[in-house]
Every structure is written in C-alpha cells, then in structure tokens.
C-alpha cells in the first residue's frame, strides 16, 4: 500500500512538473507574443510618426506655395490694375485728342460750308460757272465732314461709348428715306436703283438713324462700284418669324474670295486706293459694328463678273401703338415781317471772326431780326443784361470763361434767366452734346452750320421766348397810365 501511494505521488509530481513546464512554455510564448506586439506597435507608431511628419512637411510646403501664389495673384492684380489705368488713360487721351481734332476741323469747315451755302442761295443767284464751283466746294466739304464723323463713330464704337436709341421703327419708312437720300447719287452715276414694295409694314428693333447710316453706306458703295448704266436691287425677306434680311445687290465687277475675306477691315479698300472713287475703307467697318450693336448681322456674297450682294439682318418686332412721325424737311424761307413790327434780337457770343460773319449774313436774311454780337463771355453777359435779347446763341470754347460757365451765370440772374440760350459749337462729340444739354442749353447745334437746321432751332427759340414773355405779362400786367 505504501508503495502504491509512493508511485501515485511520483506520478502526481511528474504530472505537476509537466504542467509547470507547459505553463512555463506558455508563459515564454506569451511573453514572446507581447514582445512582438510591442515591437509591432512601436513600428506602427514610428510609421505613423513618420507619416505625420511627412504630412506636416507637405502642409508646410503647401502653405508656402499658397503664400507664393497669393503674392503672385496680388502682383498680377497690381499689374492688371496698372495696365487698366494705363489703358483708361490712353482711352481718355485718345478721346480728348479726337474731340480736339473734331473741334479744330469743324471750325474751318463751318466757315467753308456756311459761306458756300450762303453763296449758293444768295441774291442774285450765282452764274452757272460759279454754281459749279460752289457745288465742288460743298461736295468736298460735306465729304470731309463725313470722314470726320466716320472716324469718330469708329472710335466711339471701339471704346464702347456709342449710345443707341433702340425702338420699334418702320422699315418701309426708313427705306423711303434712304431712297430719297441716294437718288441724286444714283442719277449722277446713271445707275437705276429699285426698292421693294413690301407686302406689310415691317417693324424692326433698331436705331433709326444708324440703320439709315448703314443702308446708305451699302447703297452708296453699290452705286460707286457698279458698271456704267448698271442696276442696284434692294430686297427684303423675312427669314424667320423674328428676323428680316435687307439685301443690296449691284452689277459691278464682283470680288474674288481672297478680297471678300478682307471686307470689314479698317482702312482696307481692297485695291481701290488709286481708283477714281472717294473712300477711306472705314464705312463698312462702322456699318458692321453698328449692325452688331443692334443685335443684327451683316455679310456679303460676290461673284466675279456678276456683282456683289451685301445684306444685313435685324430683329422683327410688333408695330408700336403710336408710330412716330417721320422727319419732315425744313425749307429755308425768308421771314416775312409786317411794316412797323418790332425786330426780335439775337445775341451771338463768338470769338471766331469767320463764324461771326457767317451768322451775320444769315441773320441779314431775316428782316424780322437784328443781331448783337460779343467776342467773349463777360461781354456777352453784359449785353444780355442791358439789351434783354429774345434769344442768345453762343460758342462753348470762349476766351476767359466757357460758354457753359456763361450759361450758368445767365440762368442764375433773374434779369436773364428767361432767355433761351442756344449752343453753336464745334465740340460735336456725343458726350459734349449731352453735357451741353444737361447744363441747360435750349438746343445744341454743331458746326459746320446746316442753314435749315440753324433757322429751325432759331424759330423754336423765338417761339419759346415769346411764350415766356406773354406768360410774364399775364402774371404781371402793366397798369395803364
């Protein structure tokens, strides 16, 4: 029994030792795992730290790049602003130059065209030889004025300063105006021009004056570059419910494709520079810009030996409720005055002697009027206060103070504020006219003088002056003595 117990104890001891050995092995294995886990964690931590460091480095680099980019943007913005200021300064300088050029050219043209118009309609009438010379002077003068206007138009368009008066305008009325304007040139060149008989009164959304300018330019070219005894056909065709095309077809020599591609380029006359026909190559460029500003399109097709077709497309609109009356021509008439009627007085303030003499001769044709004159603004103000003229007309660029400053003084003086003041100036840019009308001029006339326009404005001012005087007498009747 004792032996069995001893054997059992030995077996239990062996089993315990085996268990202990197993536990020791498991403990070592667990320790090794813990070590490996710690190493893995440490490695992961190192990788993460490295990644964070790399991310921080990239962030720093990105921040630096962002700062550099911001500086570049700032520098570019400064350069852009500087360039814009330079461009604006250049545009202002160009506008001022063109305004000055226009003024300087219009002043002598005023004398040339004004006196030529006086001689043409003078009494006695000029002889046929004199009439031919006068016609040449007038033709050259009006052509020079046309060139000045085209250059100014092109400049205003390119600078974005040209304003349009868009309205629903009658296309048949405009075509009739164009026909009347172009007929003399067509007869002179022995060209037959046919205009369409429209089946209904089309209306287009456009600037009436500018549409006439474009069409007359196309018609004039079609006549100039036609063959002897040729024809010009004007047609209209609605190409959709909202669009109409006006075409001007001539029977001239036509244009090859390489010249057709050069149309609408400034100062490019397509080899006609040495020809007999006048031109600068500006008209078609201005026409293209104007049509595009009116949301239209312009183009041309041509066949060598068979002529060319120039066309414009404009947007159709519904007829307006009240259609404006067409401009009526004003006939230059001698004023009739009854014996004993008091003369109306015009005060003209002008420092240019030739311009003064021109107006003197114009007023000499008005037996109902007498002329007062002043060569500077202050003298003009003094004469206005003393003589109380019915109408005042003045230049803008006067010695001492300008015509606008004179106007302010007259308007603020109770003794003269009722007198209508007309501007007659060679400052003919649109912003000059707007500035003058905003200052309070009754009308703003530009040089060179167009006699009918001059007389019409003068009559309107005289009517206004009489109405003002009648109103004042009604409010403050004089007591009988």
């Amino acid at each position: 029994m004792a032996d069995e117990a001893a054997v059992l104890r030995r077996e239990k001891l062996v089993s315990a030792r085996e268990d202990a050995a197993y536990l020791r092995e498991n403990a070592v294995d667990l320790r090794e795992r813990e070590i490996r886990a710690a190493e893995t964690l440490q490695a992961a931590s190192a990788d993460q730290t490295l990644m964070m460091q790399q991310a921080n480095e990239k962030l720093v680099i990105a921040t630096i790049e962002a700062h550099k980019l911001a500086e570049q943007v700032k520098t570019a913005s400064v350069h852009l602003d500087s360039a814009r200021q330079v461009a604006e300064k250049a545009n202002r300088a160009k506008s001022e130059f063109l305004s000055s050029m226009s003024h300087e050219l219009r002043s002598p043209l005023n004398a040339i065209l004004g006196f030529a118009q006086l001689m043409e309609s003078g009494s006695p009438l000029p002889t046929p030889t004199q009439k031919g010379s006068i016609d040449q002077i007038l033709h050259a003068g009006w052509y020079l004025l046309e060139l000045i206007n085209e250059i100014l138009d092109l400049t205003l368009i390119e600078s974005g300063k040209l304003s349009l008066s868009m309205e629903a305008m009658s296309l048949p009325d405009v075509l009739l105006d164009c026909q009347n304007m172009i007929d003399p040139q067509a007869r002179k060149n022995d060209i037959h021009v046919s205009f369409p008989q429209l089946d209904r009164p089309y209306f287009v959304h456009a600037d009436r004056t500018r549409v006439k300018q474009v069409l007359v330019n196309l018609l004039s070219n079609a006549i100039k570059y036609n063959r002897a005894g040729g024809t010009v056909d004007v047609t209209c065709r609605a190409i959709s419910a909202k669009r109409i095309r006006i075409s001007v077809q001539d029977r001239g020599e036509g244009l090859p494709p390489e010249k057709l591609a050069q149309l609408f380029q400034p100062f490019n006359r397509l080899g006609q520079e040495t020809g007999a026909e006048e031109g600068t190559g500006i008209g078609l460029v201005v026409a293209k810009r104007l049509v595009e500003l009116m949301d239209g399109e312009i183009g041309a097709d041509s066949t060598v030996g068979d002529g060319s077709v120039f066309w414009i497309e404009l947007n159709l609109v519904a007829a307006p409720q009240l259609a404006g009356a067409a401009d009526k021509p004003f006939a230059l008439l001698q004023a009739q005055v009854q014996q004993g009627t008091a003369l109306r007085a015009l005060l003209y303030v002008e420092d240019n002697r030739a311009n003064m003499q021109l107006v003197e001769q114009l007023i000499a044709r008005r037996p109902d009027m007498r002329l007062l004159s002043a060569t500077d603004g202050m003298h003009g103000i003094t004469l206005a206060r003393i003589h109380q003229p019915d109408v005042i007309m003045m230049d803008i660029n006067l010695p001492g103070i300008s015509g606008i400053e004179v106007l302010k003084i007259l308007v603020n003086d109770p003794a003269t504020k009722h007198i209508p003041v007309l501007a007659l100036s060679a400052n003919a840019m649109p912003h000059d006219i707007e500035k003058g009308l905003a200052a309070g001029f009754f009308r703003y006339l530009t040089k060179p003088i167009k006699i009918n326009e001059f007389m019409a404005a003068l009559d309107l001012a005289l009517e206004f002056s009489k109405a003002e005087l009648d109103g004042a007498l009604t409010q403050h009747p004089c007591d009988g003595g």
Side-chain angles (χ1 to χ4, degrees):
M1 292 294 292
D3 292 337
E4 290 179 1
V7 171
L8 184 59
R9 283 196 299 272
R10 281 196 300 272
E11 289 176 353
K12 288 182 177 180
L13 181 58
V14 170
S15 177
R17 287 175 178 172
E18 289 176 351
D19 290 340
Y22 176 76
L23 290 174
R24 280 197 300 273
E25 289 175 0
N26 286 341
V28 170
D29 184 54
L30 181 60
R31 179 59 181 168
E32 289 176 351
R33 290 181 182 179
E34 289 176 352
I35 291 172
R36 285 197 298 270
E39 291 174 347
T40 301
L41 182 60
Q42 185 176 6
S45 178
D47 290 343
Q48 187 176 14
T49 301
L50 180 59
M51 291 174 61
M52 291 180 64
Q53 288 176 347
Q54 292 174 343
N56 285 335
E57 290 173 359
K58 291 180 180 178
L59 181 60
V60 170
I61 293 171
T63 303
I64 293 172
E65 292 296 328
H67 282 302
K68 288 181 179 179
L69 183 60
E71 288 297 324
Q72 291 174 357
V73 170
K74 184 178 179 181
T75 302
S77 179
V78 171
H79 290 164
L80 181 62
D81 188 57
S82 177
R84 183 168 54 248
Q85 291 178 6
V86 170
E88 289 174 354
K89 184 177 180 180
N91 278 335
R92 285 195 301 269
K94 183 171 70 172
S95 296
E96 290 170 3
F97 167 75
L98 287 170
S99 180
S100 174
M101 181 193 73
S102 172
H103 179 275
E104 294 304 316
L105 290 174
R106 284 172 183 273
S107 292
L109 267 179
N110 184 54
I112 294 169
L113 290 171
F115 284 111
Q117 290 176 88
L118 281 173
M119 289 189 291
E120 182 184 40
S121 57
S123 181
L125 292 174
T127 65
T129 302
Q130 291 171 334
K131 179 68 165 58
S133 300
I134 292 169
D135 287 344
Q136 290 295 326
I137 294 171
L138 288 171
H139 174 76
W142 291 124
Y143 177 66
L144 182 54
L145 180 62
E146 179 184 346
L147 297 185
I148 294 170
N149 290 334
E150 282 185 346
I151 292 172
L152 293 177
D153 274 347
L154 183 59
T155 303
L156 288 172
I157 291 169
E158 290 181 342
S159 65
K161 294 181 179 179
L162 183 73
S163 59
L164 297 177
S165 178
M166 301 292 284
E167 61 178 343
M169 47 151 275
S170 169
L171 187 56
D173 287 350
V174 168
L175 289 175
L176 181 60
D177 287 346
C178 293
Q179 183 175 3
N180 293 332
M181 293 169 70
I182 209 69
D183 269 350
Q185 182 185 353
R187 287 196 299 270
K188 180 181 177 182
N189 288 270
D190 191 27
I191 302 295
H192 176 72
V193 183
S194 65
F195 282 80
Q197 298 296 320
L198 299 179
D199 56 356
R200 63 187 181 91
Y202 290 103
F203 285 83
V204 294
H205 187 245
D207 182 306
R208 180 187 181 91
T209 300
R210 297 303 182 178
V211 170
K212 287 199 293 186
Q213 179 180 346
V214 171
L215 288 176
V216 168
N217 178 270
L218 298 183
L219 287 163
S220 179
N221 286 344
I223 292 171
K224 285 195 297 185
Y225 302 114
N226 215 315
R227 63 186 63 187
T231 61
V232 175
D233 296 316
V234 182
T235 58
C236 293
R237 178 172 62 90
I239 59 175
S240 71
K242 297 183 178 181
R243 198 86 157 175
I244 192 167
R245 174 178 286 196
I246 306 104
S247 300
V248 178
Q249 182 172 15
D250 64 60
R251 296 300 177 187
E253 296 179 1
L255 296 170
E258 61 272 14
K259 287 189 176 181
L260 193 63
Q262 297 172 25
L263 283 172
F264 310 111
Q265 293 179 358
F267 307 104
N268 189 342
R269 295 195 61 204
L270 306 179
Q272 297 291 332
E273 293 83 359
T274 58
E277 298 297 340
E278 298 170 327
T280 61
I282 303 174
L284 281 179
V285 182
V286 172
K288 177 176 171 59
R289 303 284 199 278
L290 288 174
V291 170
E292 289 172 348
L293 284 174
M294 293 184 287
D295 195 26
E297 188 177 350
I298 187 170
D301 302 295
S302 188
T303 303
V304 175
D306 195 32
S308 305
V309 180
F310 285 80
W311 51 266
I312 65 171
E313 291 180 4
L314 297 171
N315 292 324
L316 289 167
V317 292
Q321 294 298 315
L322 293 174
D327 295 338
K328 296 181 179 179
F330 180 84
L332 176 59
L333 301 174
Q334 293 276 6
Q336 302 297 321
V337 59
Q338 295 181 355
Q339 187 71 24
T341 302
L343 297 180
R344 313 292 296 279
L346 168 67
L347 169 61
Y348 184 36
V349 186
E350 170 66 77
D351 63 318
N352 184 294
R353 186 58 194 161
N355 292 338
M356 180 67 74
Q357 290 175 345
L358 174 59
V359 172
E360 285 175 357
Q361 293 194 36
L362 287 172
I363 299 304
R365 296 186 175 188
R366 303 271 312 227
D368 61 330
M369 297 195 70
R370 64 189 178 96
L371 180 68
L372 303 169
S373 62
T375 56
D376 63 75
M378 295 309 299
H379 187 204
I381 293 168
T382 301
L383 290 181
R385 288 168 173 166
I386 294 173
H387 295 281
Q388 293 289 297
D390 297 277
V391 180
I392 298 172
M393 181 175 289
M394 73 172 71
D395 189 21
I396 299 297
N397 295 320
L398 294 169
I401 61 174
S402 72
I404 289 180
E405 292 172 321
V406 174
L407 176 64
K408 291 178 181 177
I409 294 173
L410 293 173
V411 169
N412 290 323
D413 187 339
T416 56
K417 67 178 183 180
H418 63 284
I419 304 173
V421 183
L422 300 170
L424 178 58
S425 175
N427 294 345
M429 299 288 278
H431 67 266
D432 294 321
I433 298 173
E434 292 172 4
K435 181 180 177 182
L437 293 175
F441 282 109
F442 182 76
R443 289 289 188 277
Y444 194 107
L445 305 178
T446 59
K447 301 172 184 175
I449 289 175
K450 294 180 180 177
I451 294 179
N452 287 349
E453 181 182 290
F454 175 91
M455 292 299 186
L458 188 55
D459 285 340
L460 285 174
L462 288 170
E463 290 177 10
F464 177 83
S465 179
K466 185 177 184 303
E468 288 287 294
L469 179 61
D470 291 345
L473 290 175
T474 302
Q475 292 177 9
H476 305 287
C478 297
D479 295 332

